[in-house]
Amino acid sequence: MEVQQSLTVCVTGAAGQIAYSFIPLLLSGQVFGQVKINLRLLDIPKMETALKGVVMEIEDCAYPLIGDIQTGSNPKELFQNCDLIVFLGGFPRLPGMERKDLLQKNANIFKEQGEALQEVGKEDVKCVVVANPANTNCLILSRYATKIPRQNFTCLTRLDQNRAYAQVALTLNKPLNSLKNIIIWGNHSTTQYPSIEHATVEGQSFVLPDQGQFIERIQKRGAEVLNARGNSSVFSAANAVKDHIKDWYNGREDTLLSLGVLSNGEYGVQSGLCFSYPIRCLGAFKYEIVGNLQLSDFSKQKLKVTEEELIQEQGLAESI
Amino acid sequence: MQKYLQKALTNQFTRASIAHFGQSLKPPVRVAITGAAGQIGYSLIFRVASGEMLGPNQPVILHLIDLPFAMTALNGVAMEIQDCAFPLVQGIVATDNQTVGFKDVNYALLVGAKPRGPGMERGDLLKDNGKIFTETGKYINDHASRDIKVVVVGNPCNTNCLILANQIKDIPKENFTAMTRLDHNRAQYQLADKLGVHSSDIRKIAIFGNHSPTMVPYIDQMTAKNHKATVDQQWVTQTFIPSVQQRGAEIIKARKLSSAASAGNAAMNHITTWVNGTAEGDYTSMAIPSDGSYGVPKGLIFSFPVTVKNGKYSIVQGLPISPFYQGLLDKTIKELVDERNAVDHLLK
C-alpha cells in the first residue's frame, strides 16, 4: 500500500529506556494509521553512540511506515519542521538530590528547549511532556515558546489514568471497557487525585470499598513496580504516551480522558499552571476541557492540595 | 502472593467483551512467552498484548514463563501489563511452572535460553540448552493445545528447536520452527539502503541455514519495487554478508545492550506472517524441519524461503543455487549436522 501522508515526530531522550519502548509503538501504525513517520531523535552528546545503536535497530525492524531519520543533540536543528515533539528527556533524580535541584535542573533544560521551539518550531507543533516533573516542565516549556498556541502544550497523566482503570476493573471484577470517565486531576506526582466521582461502570455510577486505598495505590504504583521489577515502569509509560497521542489525534467519543493541559482557571485552579483535567478529545488534535463538573467537598480539597504543590514547583522552577 | 496474582488476574478478564468501536472479538487465544522477565520478553510482551501480533479483534491470554529467581520481576511485568489497560488482554498467567505455563497454549515464543557465559564452549552451550529444551518439549507435548505454533528464539535456536521437537509425539512436527526473521529483516534493510529504496520495497530474498555466522542471505531473485535488482558480487561477499552476520555485535557495541527491540520485533513478525500469510509475489524466512529440499538432510531445522497461506508454510522450490551459494549452503549444513551430533544423546 502506498503511504501518502507523512508526519515529522521528534523524540527527546531518544537513547533512553522509554524511547526504546515507545519508538516501536509510534512506528507500528497504532497511533496515526497508515502515515509515514519521519523521526528526529534528540539526546545529549554523551549518548551519540547509543543513539546510533537505536537507529540500527529501527532499520532492522523493517517498519513499513518509517520515513527518514535524523539524530543529534541540538534542539534548534531537530525541532525544525516537527509536527509533534515527545519530551521524554529530562534530568533524572540522582541519589541525595533535593526536589528543588531536580526542578531547577529540569527547568533549565525546558527553558532551552522552549527557546529553541520559539526560534525554529512550526507554529502549530504539538507537545507532549513526559519527563518529570512533567507538569512543571510543560509549564516552563510553554513560557519560553510563546508563539505556539497554549492548547498545544500537554503533559502525561495517562499512565496514572490507565493504572486507575486497571485497579477499578480488578476491584469491581468488571472488564476494562465497561468503565468510563475515571479522571486524574492535578499533578503527575503523589498529590494527584484519581477520581471516580464522575466515573461509571456499565453506565452506572459506583463507589469503591476503600476509596483511600485506591487513591494511595495509584499515587504509589510507580514505586510498587520499581520494587518488583528492580527498574522503573518503562513500557507502561511508553504505552501511556502512545495512548495520549493516539486519542489526542484521533478523538474519543465514548469517554473523557486525562491530559495535563494549561489551565485557564477551570475549577478555580490558578491560570497558567499545567494541570490534569477531564478532557474531551474531538479529533485532529483538538480538545476541550470539561469545566462544569460538580465537585464534592472531598474532591475540591484534593484539588487544592495538588494545585498548592504545583504553585510551589512553579516558584522553585522559576527561580532559575 | 503469586497464586493470588494468577487467580486475580484471570478472574478480572473472564467475561467476553466488545471492543469500544463495536466490533465483535474472536474467542481468546493463549500466547506463551518464555524468558518473559528478560529484555527481549519486555519488548515482545507489550506489543503482543496491544494486539499487534494477531490483530485488533483477537483477544489474548498471556502465559508468561520464567525461572523461579525471576518471579518477582515477572510479577512486576504483570503489574505493568495491567497498568497498560489493554482491551485485548483477557488474562495473565505469570509462572515458573511449565505445566501451568503451557496449558492449552496456542502460540509459544520461546525466548528463554541459557546464555553463553565467559569461557563457555559452543559444545557446553548446546548441552546446557539441550536439557532446557528437552524439558520444555515434554511440557508442550503433554499440555499445549494440539494446534500450537511454536517459534524458538533462544539460541542456538535451530538446534534448540530440533531438541524440543524431538520430544513431540502428538502435535505435527511442522508446528515447531526457529527464528531467522531478524537476519531476514536486517538483510532487507542493508539491501534497501544499498539500492536507495525503502526496506518494504525489497522482495524475494531469504535466509538459508543456521541462525549463526554461517547463515546464507540469498538474494539471487531479489526485486526492488517489483523489478529484478542486482548488486555487485564484491559488495555482497565483502560488505553485505559480513554486515548481516555482525550486526548483532555492532549493536551491542553501540548500545552496550543486545538488540532486544529488533529481536522481539522479528519474533512477532515470524508469528504474524505464519498466521496471516506472505504477500503475493514475496516470500519470508523461517527455520523449519527440512524435507530434503535443496539437498538439506531431512529433519534438520533449517531456514528456507517459504510462502505461507492459511497458516501453513511451503518451501519455495527450484530457486537457482549457483556454485557460490552451494558453497555457503554446504558450510551451514555441516555446522547444523555437527550441532546435531553434539546433542545426539538427547535425541532418541
Side-chain angles (χ1 to χ4, degrees):
Chain A
M1 171 204 253
E2 261 313 306
V3 177
Q4 302 294 353
Q5 308 165 261
S6 70
L7 284 174
T8 300
V9 179
C10 178
V11 178
T12 76
Q17 293 190 67
I18 298 184
Y20 195 68
S21 290
F22 173 66
I23 288 167
L25 300 178
L26 179 63
L27 298 173
S28 69
Q30 290 179 0
V31 181
F32 297 112
Q34 291 300 302
V35 172
K36 246 191 171 73
I37 307 290
N38 298 315
L39 273 186
R40 304 285 175 264
L41 303 177
L42 177 75
D43 214 307
I44 57 178
K46 198 174 92 165
M47 300 306 279
E48 193 187 333
T49 311
L51 202 48
K52 285 197 166 72
V54 172
V55 173
M56 281 193 255
E57 284 211 73
I58 294 171
E59 292 163 353
D60 292 351
C61 285
Y63 295 112
L65 294 175
I66 185 67
D68 64 77
I69 307 177
Q70 277 179 41
T71 61
S73 54
N74 188 346
K76 287 192 185 155
E77 282 171 19
L78 291 193
F79 285 177
Q80 291 179 33
N81 294 317
C82 289
D83 300 296
L84 168 70
I85 306 179
V86 184
F87 294 87
L88 301 177
F91 205 96
R93 186 178 212 141
L94 302 173
M97 206 180 208
E98 299 270 334
R99 187 173 175 76
K100 179 170 74 106
D101 301 319
L102 184 73
L103 281 159
Q104 288 175 350
K105 285 214 151 37
N106 277 290
N108 276 320
I109 293 172
F110 282 87
K111 172 173 182 279
E112 188 201 331
Q113 296 188 340
E115 285 166 346
L117 262 190
Q118 181 70 1
E119 194 181 314
V120 308
K122 259 170 126 165
E123 294 278 324
D124 203 28
V125 64
K126 309 295 186 290
C127 299
V128 185
V129 178
V130 181
N132 282 316
N135 301 57
T136 300
N137 287 341
C138 183
L139 181 152
I140 299 289
L141 185 76
S142 72
R143 285 284 162 84
Y144 289 93
T146 49
K147 78 180 188 192
I148 293 158
R150 307 291 81 198
Q151 57 265 35
N152 287 24
F153 293 98
T154 66
C155 84
L156 190 80
T157 51
R158 184 57 176 263
L159 179 54
D160 311 295
Q161 181 192 299
N162 287 349
R163 286 170 170 166
Y165 271 79
Q167 290 303 317
V168 171
L170 197 70
T171 306
L172 300 181
N173 195 21
K174 295 282 181 189
L176 282 165
N177 52 26
S178 66
L179 300 168
K180 311 238 177 276
N181 300 334
I182 299 175
I183 300 297
I184 308 295
W185 296 81
N187 198 7
H188 172 64
S189 75
T190 51
T191 69
Q192 63 173 272
Y193 171 45
S195 168
I196 56 161
E197 191 173 358
H198 304 93
T200 58
V201 58
E202 290 163 345
Q204 307 288 331
S205 60
F206 62 93
V207 292
L208 292 173
D210 190 335
Q211 168 120 319
Q213 190 193 60
F214 162 70
I215 292 174
E216 207 184 314
R217 188 126 198 236
I218 306 305
Q219 289 170 344
K220 296 185 173 161
R221 183 66 159 183
E224 202 184 341
V225 173
L226 179 63
N227 281 334
R229 281 198 70 222
N231 199 350
S232 56
S233 321
V234 172
F235 204 100
S236 47
N239 183 72
V241 177
K242 177 260 283 171
D243 285 345
H244 174 115
I245 298 169
K246 176 180 177 177
D247 287 340
W248 186 14
Y249 174 75
N250 289 297
R252 279 291 288 274
E253 285 180 342
D254 60 325
T255 180
L256 300 179
L257 298 170
S258 310
L259 285 80
V261 298
L262 298 180
S263 173
N264 305 301
E266 292 85 357
Y267 301 97
V269 172
Q270 183 176 295
S271 190
L273 287 181
C274 181
F275 197 88
S276 184
Y277 278 121
I279 303 285
R280 184 170 289 117
C281 287
L282 304 167
F285 280 126
K286 294 203 187 326
Y287 67 82
E288 55 193 23
I289 301 174
V290 176
N292 59 355
L293 298 177
Q294 291 297 315
L295 294 182
S296 65
D297 288 340
F298 178 80
S299 294
K300 286 178 186 165
Q301 226 286 308
K302 290 281 182 210
L303 256 61
K304 266 275 161 273
V305 171
T306 191
E307 182 201 17
E308 242 335 287
E309 186 183 51
L310 280 168
I311 292 170
Q312 259 190 28
E313 285 190 12
Q314 178 188 359
L316 287 169
E318 282 185 337
S319 62
I320 48 164
Chain B
M1 165 59 198
Q2 189 200 308
K3 281 208 191 98
Y4 163 74
L5 182 72
Q6 275 178 34
K7 196 157 155 248
L9 290 168
T10 318
N11 281 345
Q12 174 184 349
F13 301 108
T14 46
R15 289 171 45 160
S17 50
I18 308 282
H20 72 75
F21 288 120
Q23 298 159 301
S24 59
L25 302 175
K26 303 178 192 170
V29 294
R30 291 176 186 270
V31 179
I33 297 169
T34 67
Q39 290 192 52
I40 295 180
Y42 200 67
S43 286
L44 179 57
I45 291 166
F46 291 88
R47 293 180 68 190
V48 170
S50 74
E52 236 191 298
M53 187 169 84
L54 298 171
N57 297 327
Q58 179 59 75
V60 295
I61 296 168
L62 298 172
H63 285 226
L64 308 179
I65 304 167
D66 215 310
L67 297 172
F69 78 87
M71 282 303 103
T72 309
L74 193 59
N75 287 337
V77 174
M79 279 190 241
E80 280 212 77
I81 297 169
Q82 285 181 303
D83 289 353
C84 290
F86 288 122
L88 292 174
V89 174
Q90 288 193 1
I92 308 173
V93 175
T95 184
D96 56 2
N97 178 322
Q98 292 191 74
T99 301
V100 171
F102 287 110
K103 181 118 180 63
D104 300 332
V105 164
N106 307 99
Y107 299 94
L109 298 97
L110 306 183
V111 176
K114 180 143 185 178
R116 188 179 213 143
M120 208 183 213
E121 295 281 332
R122 191 171 174 82
D124 300 319
L125 188 71
L126 285 163
K127 288 195 168 77
D128 287 346
N129 278 295
K131 292 198 193 95
I132 295 172
F133 284 87
T134 301
E135 284 284 292
T136 298
K138 289 181 186 145
Y139 284 110
I140 290 181
N141 186 70
D142 294 348
H143 303 290
S145 172
R146 305 295 84 186
D147 67 357
I148 187 173
K149 285 181 156 63
V150 176
V151 61
V152 179
V153 179
N155 282 316
C157 62
N158 299 55
T159 300
N160 285 341
C161 181
L162 183 75
I163 292 163
L164 182 101
N166 190 251
Q167 296 298 322
I168 304 297
K169 299 164 189 6
D170 311 313
I171 302 170
K173 296 282 179 144
E174 74 215 31
N175 289 24
F176 297 87
T177 65
M179 185 178 89
T180 49
R181 184 61 173 264
L182 181 54
D183 310 295
H184 182 113
N185 289 348
R186 285 170 169 166
Q188 200 172 338
Y189 174 74
Q190 295 296 326
L191 292 160
D193 189 49
K194 175 75 173 165
L195 292 168
V197 298
H198 196 272
S199 60
S200 58
D201 294 327
I202 297 287
R203 296 187 154 197
K204 295 194 170 168
I205 62 166
I207 305 293
F208 276 94
N210 198 6
H211 173 63
S212 80
T214 67
M215 65 149 150
V216 184
Y218 176 83
I219 60 173
D220 196 275
Q221 302 291 298
M222 171 173 64
T223 60
K225 295 193 169 189
N226 295 319
H227 299 292
K228 187 133 188 9
T230 49
V231 285
D232 74 87
Q233 187 61 20
Q234 196 172 43
W235 177 80
V236 170
T237 43
Q238 291 187 359
T239 307
F240 171 59
I241 294 180
S243 293
V244 178
Q245 288 170 349
Q246 289 157 23
R247 186 70 155 183
E250 209 186 333
I251 288 171
I252 290 176
K253 212 165 145 213
R255 291 195 66 226
K256 307 278 186 285
L257 288 166
S258 63
S259 44
S262 47
N265 182 76
M268 208 178 66
N269 289 165
H270 178 113
I271 297 288
T272 301
T273 304
W274 196 356
V275 171
N276 292 346
T278 41
E280 191 65 45
D282 199 4
Y283 30 85
T284 189
S285 306
M286 293 172 70
I288 59 177
S290 171
D291 61 358
S293 300
Y294 296 96
V296 178
K298 258 184 127 172
L300 279 189
I301 304 295
F302 197 89
S303 184
F304 285 103
V306 296
T307 52
V308 185
K309 199 172 169 175
N310 298 325
K312 284 194 168 357
Y313 54 75
S314 328
I315 296 175
V316 178
Q317 298 293 351
L319 295 173
I321 305 291
S322 65
F324 168 72
Y325 279 115
Q326 190 61 57
L328 297 177
L329 281 178
D330 291 341
K331 263 185 87 179
T332 194
I333 290 171
K334 177 171 192 313
E335 186 180 63
L336 278 167
V337 169
D338 287 347
E339 286 188 14
R340 183 168 66 180
N341 292 340
V343 295
D344 195 56
H345 58 290
L346 294 169
L347 306 170
K348 288 190 207 74

